[in-house]
């Protein structure tokens, strides 16, 4: 059930997440990918003023570049899910890195805003999407018990890269112009290919381990150990053939699992995220130009994004650690609601900031709240749908969020052009974020918690659910190892000693057969698999 024959050298499914080891390398790769995916659309806003001059367009036209990047990052979610389920994470990420780099390099040779939309927007956005989603899937594969912390550390890549890419973009703009800056940025995006190369599938290491164990048993089969053991071998082989004959053909894996829409928690999460994204990205995208319009020098205006990034660096891992606490993790949805409420109120309270000091204060509180949202958003989704359906769930969620991304920042840009007032934009964006927080908290309490209270209490049997993915995987791996040991133990283990039972064993066997017809089994010993012969026992092997 749910695992392949260990004799074939194939791992049981699901595989136990190691919660460390090579997972830390995967975490670092996810850190870099997350940094590029989220920080790049915001860092590109540094070039908007020059693009407006060269192409003679308004701010709303240039804002479409960031919006298209984010829309591709989100809107291609189902495509990414299908490709990952079909080809695996590593090949998809390598292709994505090449596409992202090619998009920015081609953008440096464009002559109008439409070409920028197709290159920097569509092509680069698609490349980052093909990197972002598989990296999160791999992170969920390698971590379970430490998953909240891992998500927080990976999410910290966004502020780290935002605090570095924004000043770097300003320097490149001053020295090489926007075309030279785009060209260099395209070269930096090639690092996504390196991150994709380290995303080693988890089952490869497990499969090699199983193959080594199988080779060990096959070597032991070469040792002659007596006639009785040969009978056990033939009996065991016959049992294996019978089991293989009873096995049903395995169904093909779904490329996209739509059954998650029957999960009420997933529906509530999706609606809340749609409302959230309408206003979440508006303040950081408009911040630099807002500061410049109030008279702040260009360098100091770009530094505001670095302040948000610096605060965000510490907020995300800290929030991940808090979410991993035993008494917090079952209620992580409410913590996510609080973080969204905090972010929305920050936008509303800071809407009237009109000097550099007020903008700095806004950036500090916005960095804290934005970091909390970033650290928890995918952890909540993983907790709702589980790691097995996460690849399909994240693709569908990102697709729905893509519509919000296409509506939010461009609409804010048009309002700025029409009203020449940023205050209304901050009020509107903050209200949308607050609404999403209230909806998630109230719907979770009313629809989910009350529903659980009405349901009958679950069985106290620990195997009936309630365990983590790690516990389920541990049981499957243990069963696979026991199955493998049972097949080889009676005949070939050099560590086991074949013990011929005496009169006492025969007496116990006669009593057991007289009572229930069952085979005797003593503490520390099991009968050989040759028709339950009471004259032969084998000591139990412990792995």
């Amino acid at each position: 059930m749910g695992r392949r024959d260990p004799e074939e050298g194939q791992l049981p499914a699901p595989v136990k997440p190691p919660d460390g080891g090579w997972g830390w390398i995967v975490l670092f790769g996810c850190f870099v990918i997350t940094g590029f995916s989220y920080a790049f659309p915001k860092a590109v806003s540094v070039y908007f003023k020059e693009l407006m001059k060269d192409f003679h367009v308004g701010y709303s036209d240039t804002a479409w570049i960031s919006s298209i990047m984010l829309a591709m990052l989100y809107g291609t979610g189902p495509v990414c899910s299908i490709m990952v389920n079909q080809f695996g994470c590593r090949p998809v990420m390598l292709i994505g890195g090449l596409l992202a780099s090619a998009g920015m390099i081609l953008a440096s040779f464009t002559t109008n805003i439409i070409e920028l939309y197709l290159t920097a927007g569509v092509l680069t956005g698609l490349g980052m999407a093909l990197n972002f989603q598989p990296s999160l899937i791999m992170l969920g594969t390698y971590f379970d018990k430490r998953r909240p912390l891992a998500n927080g550390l990976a999410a910290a890549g966004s502020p780290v890269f935002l605090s570095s890419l924004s000043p770097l973009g300003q320097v490149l703009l001053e020295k090489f112009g926007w075309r030279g800056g785009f060209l260099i940025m395209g070269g930096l995006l090639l690092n996504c290919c390196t991150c994709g190369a380290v995303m080693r599938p988890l089952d490869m290491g497990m499969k090699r381990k199983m193959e080594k164990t199988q080779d060990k048993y096959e070597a032991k089969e070469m040792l002659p150990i007596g006639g009785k053991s040969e009978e056990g071998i033939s009996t065991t082989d016959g049992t294996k053939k019978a089991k293989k004959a009873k096995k049903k053909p395995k169904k093909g894996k779904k490329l996209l699992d739509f059954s998650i829409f029957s999960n009420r928690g997933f529906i509530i999460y999706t609606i809340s995220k749609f409302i959230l994204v309408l206003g979440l990205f508006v303040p950081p995208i408009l911040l630099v130009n807002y500061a410049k319009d109030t008279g702040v020098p260009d360098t100091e205006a770009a530094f505001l994004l670095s302040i948000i990034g610096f605060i965000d660096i510490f907020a995300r891992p800290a929030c991940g650690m808090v979410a991993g606490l035993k008494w917090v993790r079952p209620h992580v949805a409410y913590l996510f609601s609080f973080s969204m409420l905090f972010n929305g109120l920050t936008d509303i309270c800071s809407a009237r900031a009109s000097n550099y000091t007020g903008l700095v204060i806004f950036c500090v509180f916005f960095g804290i709240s934005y970091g909390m949202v970033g650290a928890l958003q995918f952890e909540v989704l993983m907790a709702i749908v589980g790691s097995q359906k996460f690849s399909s769930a994240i693709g569908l969620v990102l697709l729905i969020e893509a519509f919000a991304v296409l509506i939010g920042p461009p609409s804010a840009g048009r309002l700025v052009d029409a009203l020449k007032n940023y205050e209304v934009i901050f009020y509107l964006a903050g209200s949308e974020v607050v609404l999403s927080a209230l909806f998630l908290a109230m719907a979770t309490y009313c629809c989910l918690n009350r529903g659980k209270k009405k349901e009958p209490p679950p069985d106290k049997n620990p195997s009936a659910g309630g365990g983590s993915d790690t516990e389920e995987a541990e049981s499957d791996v243990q069963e696979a190892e026991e199955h493998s040991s049972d097949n080889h133990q009676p005949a070939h283990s050099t560590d086991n000693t074949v013990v011929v039972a005496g009169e006492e064993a025969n007496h116990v066997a006669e009593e057991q057969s007289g009572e229930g017809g069952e085979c005797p089994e003593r503490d520390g010993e099991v009968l050989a698999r040759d028709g339950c012969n009471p004259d032969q026992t084998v000591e139990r092997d412990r792995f």
Side-chain angles (χ1 to χ4, degrees):
M1 294 294 294
R3 59 183 183 276
R4 296 183 179 93
D5 193 351
E7 282 202 350
E8 298 174 2
Q10 295 172 344
L11 78 161
V15 184
K16 174 186 174 183
D19 277 306
W22 188 259
W24 298 117
I25 305 298
V26 173
L27 174 59
F28 178 75
C30 189
F31 172 88
V32 175
I33 296 297
T34 304
F36 276 122
S37 299
Y38 277 120
F40 205 82
K42 304 180 187 71
V44 170
S45 64
V46 174
Y47 300 96
F48 284 178
K49 283 285 185 181
E50 293 298 321
L51 294 175
M52 291 166 63
K53 292 178 182 179
D54 285 3
F55 296 140
H56 306 289
V57 294
Y59 181 77
S60 60
D61 297 318
T62 56
W64 271 99
I65 299 174
S66 296
S67 297
I68 292 174
M69 280 187 183
L70 292 172
M72 294 300 297
L73 180 65
Y74 292 141
T76 56
V79 177
C80 296
S81 296
I82 292 173
M83 293 182 66
V84 167
N85 290 334
Q86 186 70 23
F87 304 108
C89 291
R90 183 187 286 175
V92 174
M93 293 182 69
L94 291 174
I95 295 173
L98 294 175
L99 289 178
S101 176
M104 290 304 295
I105 293 174
L106 292 175
S108 64
F109 299 100
T110 56
T111 57
N112 56 66
I113 195 69
I114 302 298
E115 293 177 357
L116 270 178
Y117 292 160
L118 296 176
T119 54
V122 175
L123 199 57
T124 300
L126 176 61
M128 289 190 297
L130 294 178
N131 277 273
F132 176 62
Q133 187 173 325
S135 67
L136 291 178
I137 294 172
M138 291 298 297
L139 189 68
T141 303
Y142 272 86
F143 290 91
D144 180 36
K145 293 179 180 178
R146 296 178 179 175
R147 193 180 65 204
L149 176 61
N151 277 318
L153 291 173
S158 175
V160 169
F161 276 66
L162 181 61
S163 61
S164 56
L165 286 179
S166 183
L168 176 62
Q170 189 66 41
V171 171
L172 295 176
L173 178 63
E174 294 174 356
K175 290 189 175 182
F176 304 103
W178 68 268
R179 294 185 184 275
F182 277 20
L183 187 63
I184 295 173
M185 288 287 191
L188 290 176
L189 286 174
L190 284 174
N191 288 291
C192 295
C193 296
T194 305
C195 297
V198 304
M199 298 294 172
R200 184 175 65 193
L202 182 60
D203 58 350
M204 289 182 64
M206 297 291 294
K207 195 175 293 186
R208 289 171 185 167
K209 183 178 179 181
M210 295 291 290
E211 287 175 353
K212 288 181 180 178
T213 306
Q214 181 67 17
D215 292 341
K216 175 182 175 182
Y217 286 130
E218 288 177 355
K220 291 177 181 178
E221 287 179 2
M222 304 297 293
L223 299 175
I225 56 177
K228 295 253 182 184
S229 297
E230 290 177 0
E231 295 177 5
I233 294 173
S234 61
T235 305
T236 303
D237 291 340
T239 305
K240 289 177 186 175
K241 291 179 181 179
K243 288 182 178 180
K244 288 182 179 179
K246 292 180 181 179
K247 284 184 179 179
K248 297 180 180 180
K250 193 173 182 179
K251 296 182 180 179
K253 187 176 182 180
K254 293 182 180 180
L255 296 180
L256 201 59
D257 190 357
F258 289 97
S259 64
I260 55 176
F261 282 107
S262 62
N263 187 333
R264 287 184 297 177
F266 176 76
I267 298 296
I268 293 171
Y269 175 87
T270 303
I271 297 174
S272 177
K273 279 299 296 292
F274 178 83
I275 303 173
L276 171 69
V277 173
L278 286 174
L280 181 65
F281 299 121
V282 170
I285 289 177
L286 298 178
L287 182 61
V288 174
N289 287 282
Y290 175 41
K292 290 179 180 179
D293 289 347
T294 56
V296 177
D298 291 354
T299 305
E300 294 181 5
F303 185 69
L304 290 174
L305 291 179
S306 299
I307 295 175
I308 294 177
F310 181 77
I311 300 298
D312 204 357
I313 291 171
F314 301 99
R316 298 197 182 209
C319 187
M321 294 178 64
V322 173
L325 298 177
K326 292 183 179 179
W327 57 275
V328 176
R329 193 169 184 183
H331 310 288
V332 68
Y334 294 106
L335 181 61
F336 185 44
S337 300
F338 171 76
S339 65
M340 291 190 293
L341 182 64
F342 185 16
N343 184 269
L345 293 177
T346 300
D347 294 341
I348 294 173
C349 295
S350 304
R352 303 181 69 88
S354 57
N355 54 48
Y356 190 70
T357 302
L359 291 174
V360 169
I361 295 174
F362 162 75
C363 290
V364 170
F365 285 98
F366 185 86
I368 296 173
S369 59
Y370 191 78
M372 294 175 66
V373 173
L376 295 174
Q377 56 180 342
F378 297 115
E379 171 59 28
V380 173
L381 181 59
M382 289 181 185
I384 291 173
V385 301
S387 60
Q388 297 298 318
K389 295 185 177 181
F390 180 70
S391 61
S392 296
I394 188 175
L396 295 171
V397 167
L398 293 179
L399 174 63
I400 296 171
E401 291 179 18
F403 295 101
V405 171
L406 287 174
I407 295 172
S411 300
R414 288 192 177 276
L415 288 175
V416 169
D417 292 339
L419 303 176
K420 306 297 181 183
N421 186 355
Y422 286 88
E423 182 178 338
V424 177
I425 307 303
F426 277 76
Y427 280 130
L428 182 60
S431 300
E432 291 166 345
V433 177
V434 169
L435 178 61
S436 67
L438 296 177
F439 174 79
L440 179 62
M442 295 176 63
T444 300
Y445 177 77
C446 297
C447 299
L448 299 183
N449 289 358
R450 287 189 177 182
K452 290 180 181 178
K453 291 179 181 179
K454 294 180 181 179
E455 293 176 358
D459 296 335
K460 294 183 180 180
N461 186 4
S463 64
S468 64
D469 294 338
T470 302
E471 293 172 350
E472 296 176 1
E474 285 176 352
S475 63
D476 281 350
V477 172
Q478 185 177 1
E479 290 176 10
E481 290 177 348
E482 290 176 357
H483 177 67
S484 177
S485 65
D486 289 342
N487 289 341
H488 297 280
Q489 207 173 35
H492 309 297
S493 176
T494 56
D495 296 332
N496 293 345
T497 306
V498 178
V499 181
V500 179
E503 296 180 357
E504 181 181 356
N506 293 331
H507 180 67
V508 173
E510 292 174 0
E511 290 180 354
Q512 293 286 346
S513 60
E515 293 176 0
E518 296 178 356
C519 299
E521 180 172 339
R522 293 186 300 169
D523 186 20
E525 298 180 352
V526 292
L527 290 179
R529 298 177 180 268
D530 56 350
C532 294
N533 186 356
D535 294 333
Q536 182 180 5
T537 60
V538 182
E539 293 182 358
R540 191 185 305 275
D541 185 17
R542 296 183 181 271
F543 284 95

